[in-house]
Amino acid sequence: MNNNDPQITLRLDQSLCDRIDRLAARNGLTRSAMIRHALRLFATEAESTGASQRRVARTIEYAQLALDVIIRDQYPDVRDKLLAETDKRVEQYHAAR
């Protein structure tokens, strides 16, 4: 850190500030150093999670497409029933409440 680095001001609720202070004291850091450390960890995780989420989404989409092709070609008589049940379950388990 040097004086040319940008300075950011933010407000925290008292309980979060107290938690940061306790963690900083436990780790021998200043409050600012603890916040910088936490932000670095968060940024690293957020960056790597994006790629991981895309990989999971691509894998799921591939599996769904492959399964749909198989069902459409080999079991066309049950496809509409499966889609209806899927819609029902999406509503039941994943709908916004």
Side-chain angles (χ1 to χ4, degrees):
M1 288 281 315
N2 66 50
N3 288 337
N4 294 329
D5 289 335
Q7 182 175 347
I8 299 172
T9 303
L10 68 141
R11 290 189 187 275
L12 303 173
D13 61 67
Q14 189 61 52
S15 65
L16 180 56
C17 191
D18 292 344
R19 289 171 65 193
I20 291 168
D21 288 343
R22 281 193 302 275
L23 286 168
R26 188 180 314 155
N27 290 285
L29 300 170
T30 64
R31 178 188 288 170
S32 293
M34 187 71 231
I35 292 170
R36 280 191 298 274
H37 178 67
L39 288 172
R40 278 189 205 102
L41 288 174
F42 175 82
T44 300
E45 178 66 22
E47 289 169 347
S48 66
T49 299
S52 178
Q53 287 174 339
R54 283 190 301 277
R55 182 174 180 264
V56 169
R58 187 172 191 271
T59 301
I60 290 169
E61 289 300 326
Y62 178 84
Q64 289 173 330
L65 177 60
L67 189 55
D68 190 50
V69 167
I70 292 167
I71 291 169
R72 188 179 58 231
D73 292 349
Q74 297 179 15
Y75 307 99
D77 53 316
V78 298
R79 185 171 184 268
D80 289 339
K81 291 177 188 174
L82 288 172
L83 289 173
E85 183 63 24
T86 299
D87 290 341
K88 179 179 161 187
R89 289 180 181 208
V90 165
E91 181 64 30
Q92 181 178 357
Y93 299 116
H94 306 286
R97 302 197 194 280

